[in-house]
Structure formats: structure tokens, C-alpha cells
Amino acid sequence: MRAYLNGNEAVATAVRLARTEVVAAYPITPQSTIVEKIAEYIADGSMAADYIRVESEHAALAACYGAAVTGTRVFTATSSQGLAYMYEMLHYVSGCRVPLVMAVANRGLAAPWTIWADHQDAIACRDTGWIQLYVETAQEALDTCLQAYKIAAHAEVLTPVMVCLDGYVLSHTEEIVDVPEQEAVDRFLPPYQAAYAVDPERPYVFGVGAGPELYPAFKYHQQQALLRAQEVIKEVDREFGAQFDRTYGGLVDPYYCDDADVILVLMGATAGTAREVVDDLRRQGERVGLLRLRSFRPFPVADLRAVLTAAGVVAVLDRDCSFGYEGVLATEVKAALYGSPAPVASRSESQWGQPLVAGFVGGLGGRDIGPADLAGIYRQCLEALRHRDRGGELVLSGGWQR
Amino acid sequence: MVKIKELPDAELVQGSYACAGCGGILAVRMALKVLGPETVIVTTPSCLLGVTTFYPQLAFKVPCVNVTFPSTAAAVSGVVAGLRRRGKAGIKVVGLAGDGGTVDIGLQALSGAIERGDNFIFICYDNEAYMNTGVQRSGATPLGARTTTTPVGSVGRGEDRPKKDMLRIVAAHNIPYAATASIGYPQDYLTKVQKAMMVAGPAYIQVLAPCPPGWGYRSDLTVKLARLAVQTGQWPLAEYAEGRLTVKEIANPRPLPDYLTPQARFDHLVSG
């Protein structure tokens, strides 16, 4: 069935189709309409779930944790300050290996107070042990939520998943979305069977304490699970594609990268604009590409290397900043390429050696990133490469959209 | 009324690392005798967590869900909802937290869970300070008590604010059942746990649980002090049910120094 849905409605639809059993949430803009829609589904009987109306985001995630350890399929959603308020609980949920799904309608953090999109909220939760998937469209938001349940509950992963969608740009913008049939979703996502659940017959402890002798082992297993998740995310995306005819590339979503001199790396809805810009520049004969990063955690080092090492310049657009340094994604892309093998000799691009990585910070607090901004980044990078062609040094300092 | 002789011999607490004379673990052990094996414990970083569930130890014979310090009651709501979805609504869900995790950082979550009317029992074992972190004052520390953050010196005279009246706060939520109890009065305490079990909806019990290292007394005096607190009028045994608050009268109150003198935290009050 095709329907006009905004990103938040798409998420709510996925949560219903996944037969989610417990939802706990506290309202925050621009997330609120997700859980309002779910409340409507429950009120009109189209979704059988318990809805816990909590008094804070911290409580929302604590309630989800409590519900999840009983062996139910659980969902919550938040944004910005709400995610920051959950920060403590994020570690409990991932450390306890609770496979729940949370939508984050990405929004900047105060101060200055803002309600508009950037990625600072989720990026700041980079090290909480959650899988973070960033989507480009409402369709992908719906599909990724369904995939997220499968990834999170995979026996070798058992890790919560954040599905991140840009506030307003995706959360409140309608597009035509293909809504899968319930029977098809049921085939893709069978009822949740927890390996361990609260049961007086088998009295487990959830959220144990661990001393210095044992704590590292727990964390090592978590690290292994996140690394393993790379393959699982790909598998689940492939499986989804086989059933629903739509895939998103798993961890990375490259666009015209094969022969590109300049590749722009970014996450989220800005990719839509970037595709237009790539098309335009390609028509002008420029060899440019786009790599949309879908999985920020786990960070797909091998996949990035495979695509990026042949380029001359890799531009990274961050909608966040690690203050006092640079955009976080830029740092991570550089780290991923460090020590990576030189491009294969047979490719003409090998003249570049290792690509130069230039970080750009833009779109903070909802600042629009238009085609001209992205074209400007591509032009700067292309110019730097040409300067090198003429015997100059390859220098590019990136930039900041003020 | 609970008959002590009829309580099961079977213990639902085993092998804890609690200090000798710990009032907190005694409060939990006693409650579990009434609650029985069809119970889930939800608890929070506290002395209790520290002494019962360090991997691979499991001091409870019932499932235990540990959660962040502010979130005991919020996680309780989740467990209640989850068990209902699983068709296991008959399992009792019991939140256990110390006084800090209840009257301070956990108050918001407790208020929310009571307001939602979830079916659970919340037991606050009140040792009147943050004992797990080294005896800092909490909102439940009594007036005059010495703690590491309300020290006694040439200016400081210990805790300078009265104990937070948690029973009235909880009662103001129109909770179906709430009570104070003391581990020094087991029959009264256990009967209150039983009443809390019978209630449909939330129930709250705040049980006085003396702490030998925190209060500074000989560890064999725990139960005696828990009785003296009541007998000297420092810990009223109260009950709030059906909108009425009743307080057990003490026929012949003991003089206050009987309670204060054995405790180092009140040295400065009794030694002049």
C-alpha cells in the first residue's frame, strides 16, 4: 500500500507492523508525533501494546529496559535533550544486551536552545554501545526500523539500535511511502523470542555488577557483538531486499563512487540534495561521488576503505562538532583510512596516493544545506586536486558554515 | 496478620556480602519470606546491589533487575507492563531501594509510577544516609546526625534539616497503601508487606534498617536499635490506607538518649 507519510509516521507505522508490545515515551520535539501516532494506533485497536506514559526520558528508557528484560518487543523515541537525559540509561541497555529499538529524530542541543536538525545529539552518544543507523528518506526510516528489530535481536548481536532521522527534514516532511503488508512483515520479523527473560522458574540477574577481573570481559563481548553487527546489518538488508525489493547498501550507500576523484561523505537526509549535486556536476564532466554512511556504529572501516582509497579528495560533511577539534565523522573517516593500502595500480586514480580528507561542518541547528553549499565543497576539492596536477601541494582545510 | 511461626523456612536470599548486622539485607530477607518465590526484584546501585548481584554471584533465588540509580520505579513500570504482555501478571514486582534511591534521586520515578497506578510494591530500606558511597547525608538523614557531608566541628553540628516526610509525600499521591515499618517489629513489618501484596495498584513501605558502619554502633545492636527508634518516638509506625493515616501509639516511651547513646553519629548530641 502506498501512502503519503512523513518520517515520524513512517516510523510509527513500522513499530505497529513489527507488533511491538511495549512503548514508553516522553514527548519532545520533533519526535513527539511518532509516539502520538502510536498512541492513536493503540487507542483505535490497530496495535496491541502497553503504552507507559512516563515522567521523563530517563524513565522512558528505564521502563523500556524493564519491559524488554521480560522478553517483550519494545520501542521508544526521543530527540536532543531527551537523548542527553537518557545518556545514563543508554549504557545500561546496551551493557545488559537488551535488543530494543529507539527512533531519534535528530535535533541540535542547547544552548542556544534550538528545535531544529543536526546530529550532535546522537553523535554525542557514539560510545554508548548502541548501533546507530542514519536514514535518508521516510521510506528508509520505515524499512530500517523493521530491519533494526531483526538486527538488535540477532543472537550474535543482542544490542539496541538507534534509528536516526533528521528532525523536520525527515520527521515532518511527507513523501510517498510503500507500506508493507502485515503478513509480509510477519514473515520477515517473527515474534520475539528472548534468550533470557525475567522468569521466577529461571531467576537470572539483569544488569549485574562486575569487578575489575570480569568487567573487561563483558565489554570485550560487547565490542565483538558490535563488530559482528556489521555483517548482520548487511545480511538483514539483503534479506529485506529479497522480500520487499528495496535495499540500502547495508552499512554504506555509495553513489557514483567507482571513478570519482572527489567523494563527499555524509549521513542523513542531506544525501538527497547531494545526489542532485552529483548528477549536476557529472553532467558537467566532473568525476564526483557521494558516500552516504548509513551505519555510524558499527563504523564500517573496510567498506569505507574499499570505496574511498581510490579518490583524490574525501570531503566529509558533519552536522556535529567535537568542540576544540573538528567534525566527528571527519576524524573517524581519517582514522579509517590511516594505514589503508594504496589504490590498485591499474586504476588511473592511483596517481593521488592516499586521499586527502577535508572536514566540513554544516547544517548545525537546522541551518539549510542547499545544492550551492554542496557544490561549493565539491568545487573546492576539485580545485585543490587540479592545483596538484599543476605541481602544487594538495592542501585543503575544510570549512565551517557559519 | 502474619504469623511468624507459619513463615516458610526456605530463604530467598543466600550468600550475600552484606556487613554483619546489616539492617537492609534483613529487611529484604524478611519481606521475601512473605512475598514468596513468584516475585521479581527491581533494584538500583546501592548497598543492596553491591552485596547481592556481583557476577557470578546471585544472592536472590528470584529474578533481579538492576537499573540506574534514579530509575527503580520506572523500570518497575516496564517490568509490570512486560509481564502483563507475557500473560504473567500474577508475578509480584517489587522495587527495592535505599533512602537516597527513594526520597532523593528516585523520587521522580516513584512519583510517576504511583501516579500511573501500576501494580507494584516499593520497599524503601531506610538507613538514613548514602551508606554505599561512604555515609553522606540524604533527604532521609535525621536532624543532628553526623555524616561525612554533615560533619561535626567547631561550626558544623551535623545534619541541619529535618528528615523528609516521605510517607506524606507518597500519601499525597492518593496511593492505595503506604506504611512505615521497622525491622525491630517483624510481625508489624511482615503484616504490612502482606497488606501491600493484597492491594491492587501501588503500595509503599519504608522500613527502618539500621546500618552498623554508617551509624557507628556494635553490629549486634541492629535489631535493638530498630526497636529503640520506635520506642523513643523517633520512628513512628504509621499506616496510610483508604485515605486515612494511623500511627501506632507508644504506651511508655523510652528516653531519647537510650536510642542516641549507642550511635557514634549522635555522639556530639549526647556527650554535651
Side-chain angles (χ1 to χ4, degrees), chain B residues 59-109:
Chain B
F60 298 120
K61 291 182 182 172
V62 293
C64 180
V65 180
N66 295 332
V67 71
T68 53
F69 204 15
S71 299
T72 315
V76 160
S77 288
V79 172
V80 168
L83 289 175
R84 187 163 53 228
R85 297 304 320 175
R86 295 262 73 83
K88 294 178 175 176
I91 297 170
K92 293 174 281 292
V93 182
V94 181
L96 287 171
D99 44 292
T102 303
V103 314
D104 293 340
I105 197 170
L107 182 58
Q108 175 179 303

Side-chain angles (χ1 to χ4, degrees), chain A residues 283-304:
Chain A
R283 276 193 293 272
Q284 296 169 36
E286 303 289 4
R287 292 195 300 186
V288 295
L290 166 72
L291 183 100
R292 181 174 69 93
L293 189 73
R294 187 162 176 256
S295 171
F296 179 63
R297 280 293 180 277
F299 199 70
V301 173
D303 294 57
L304 283 173

Side-chain angles (χ1 to χ4, degrees), chain B:
Chain B
M1 179 170 299
V2 165
K3 293 198 170 84
I4 303 281
K5 277 186 175 172
E6 292 172 7
L7 287 176
D9 288 339
E11 293 289 346
L12 293 173
V13 182
Q14 60 189 354
S16 86
Y17 297 134
C19 301
C22 173
I25 200 77
L26 194 53
V28 173
R29 193 181 134 203
M30 289 162 79
L32 281 169
K33 278 189 173 285
V34 179
L35 292 163
E38 290 291 300
T39 299
V40 179
I41 288 171
V42 180
T43 189
T44 183
S46 62
C47 284
L48 185 65
L49 190 159
V51 304
T52 56
T53 55
F54 257 79
Y55 188 82
Q57 172 209 27
L58 168 53
F60 298 120
K61 291 182 182 172
V62 293
C64 180
V65 180
N66 295 332
V67 71
T68 53
F69 204 15
S71 299
T72 315
V76 160
S77 288
V79 172
V80 168
L83 289 175
R84 187 163 53 228
R85 297 304 320 175
R86 295 262 73 83
K88 294 178 175 176
I91 297 170
K92 293 174 281 292
V93 182
V94 181
L96 287 171
D99 44 292
T102 303
V103 314
D104 293 340
I105 197 170
L107 182 58
Q108 175 179 303
L110 179 58
S111 174
I114 296 172
E115 184 204 325
R116 285 189 290 276
D118 292 331
N119 192 25
F120 70 99
I121 303 168
F122 194 102
I123 298 177
C124 166
Y125 68 99
D126 187 353
N127 50 30
E128 303 195 318
Y130 291 93
M131 300 314 187
N132 194 39
T133 44
V135 198
Q136 299 83 19
R137 65 85 64 188
S138 80
T141 299
L143 186 65
R146 177 213 307 261
T147 72
T148 54
T149 51
T150 57
V152 175
S154 60
V155 179
R157 302 301 293 162
E159 171 63 31
D160 64 353
R161 298 292 304 157
K163 188 180 175 90
K164 194 185 281 190
D165 191 344
M166 192 61 192
L167 193 68
R168 282 210 303 187
I169 292 170
V170 169
H173 288 70
N174 293 317
I175 191 170
Y177 183 81
T180 59
S182 162
I183 57 160
Y185 289 83
Q187 196 167 59
D188 175 77
Y189 170 42
L190 298 176
T191 301
K192 284 168 176 169
V193 173
Q194 196 174 54
K195 284 184 184 175
M197 279 167 55
M198 301 304 166
V199 164
Y204 173 84
I205 295 173
Q206 188 167 348
V207 55
L208 184 68
C211 169
W215 293 12
Y217 65 83
R218 273 195 357 242
S219 57
D220 60 325
L221 294 179
T222 296
V223 173
K224 189 176 179 187
L225 283 170
R227 293 185 75 83
L228 279 166
V230 175
Q231 290 164 349
T232 57
Q234 294 306 290
W235 185 267
L237 296 178
E239 212 170 15
Y240 174 86
E242 291 164 7
R244 285 192 51 211
L245 182 71
T246 51
V247 182
K248 185 178 168 166
E249 258 186 62
I250 304 300
N252 297 300
R254 301 270 295 265
L256 184 56
D258 286 6
Y259 176 58
L260 302 186
T261 307
Q263 302 182 50
R265 64 176 176 157
F266 294 124
D267 274 352
H268 56 292
L269 300 181
V270 289
S271 60

Side-chain angles (χ1 to χ4, degrees), chain A residues 255-314:
Chain A
Y255 186 66
Y256 285 106
C257 287
D258 285 347
D259 65 341
D261 295 335
V262 174
I263 297 177
L264 176 62
V265 179
L266 51 72
M267 305 195 294
T270 317
T273 311
R275 285 177 207 279
E276 300 278 329
V277 173
V278 168
D279 290 348
D280 199 34
L281 289 171
R282 284 268 166 185
R283 276 193 293 272
Q284 296 169 36
E286 303 289 4
R287 292 195 300 186
V288 295
L290 166 72
L291 183 100
R292 181 174 69 93
L293 189 73
R294 187 162 176 256
S295 171
F296 179 63
R297 280 293 180 277
F299 199 70
V301 173
D303 294 57
L304 283 173
R305 283 183 174 189
V307 177
L308 297 179
T309 41
V313 172
V314 173

Side-chain angles (χ1 to χ4, degrees), chain A residues 33-176:
Chain A
T33 55
I34 296 177
V35 293
E36 285 172 4
K37 197 74 198 168
I38 291 170
E40 283 176 28
Y41 290 148
I42 294 171
D44 69 21
S46 61
M47 181 174 167
D50 270 55
Y51 193 109
I52 310 175
R53 294 158 186 89
V54 285
E55 73 291 343
S56 76
E57 284 92 348
H58 197 286
L61 200 48
C64 284
Y65 165 80
V69 297
T70 67
T72 53
R73 186 169 282 161
V74 171
F75 175 82
T76 188
T78 193
S79 294
S80 184
Q81 312 294 136
L83 182 58
Y85 198 28
M86 282 180 180
Y87 179 79
E88 185 194 18
M89 274 307 304
L90 294 177
H91 290 269
Y92 249 79
V93 169
S94 63
C96 199
R97 310 295 295 277
V98 173
L100 60 81
V101 172
M102 170 159 70
V104 176
N106 290 112
R107 161 185 156 184
L109 284 156
W113 187 77
T114 178
I115 57 170
W116 290 278
D118 68 33
H119 294 159
Q120 192 76 32
D121 53 357
I123 292 286
C125 299
R126 180 187 67 176
D127 303 328
T128 57
W130 282 57
I131 291 169
Q132 287 194 7
L133 304 176
Y134 288 75
V135 303
E136 181 182 340
T137 62
Q139 181 74 63
E140 190 184 2
L142 189 158
D143 296 345
T144 303
C145 282
L146 296 177
Q147 294 185 9
Y149 277 108
K150 194 148 197 157
I151 296 162
H154 189 284
E156 293 164 46
V157 176
L158 286 179
T159 293
V161 179
M162 260 180 227
V163 177
C164 302
L165 62 157
D166 291 15
Y168 294 108
V169 180
L170 286 184
S171 68
H172 285 63
T173 307
E174 290 186 355
E175 64 183 55
I176 296 174

Side-chain angles (χ1 to χ4, degrees), chain A residues 288-356:
Chain A
V288 295
L290 166 72
L291 183 100
R292 181 174 69 93
L293 189 73
R294 187 162 176 256
S295 171
F296 179 63
R297 280 293 180 277
F299 199 70
V301 173
D303 294 57
L304 283 173
R305 283 183 174 189
V307 177
L308 297 179
T309 41
V313 172
V314 173
V316 183
L317 178 62
D318 270 282
R319 297 194 76 167
D320 62 83
C321 182
S322 176
F323 300 102
Y325 193 19
E326 63 181 354
V328 172
L329 189 53
T331 309
E332 305 237 327
V333 169
K334 285 179 194 169
L337 294 178
Y338 178 81
S340 62
V344 285
S346 61
R347 293 174 62 171
S348 58
E349 293 78 12
S350 63
Q351 60 180 304
W352 309 122
Q354 281 229 338
L356 181 75

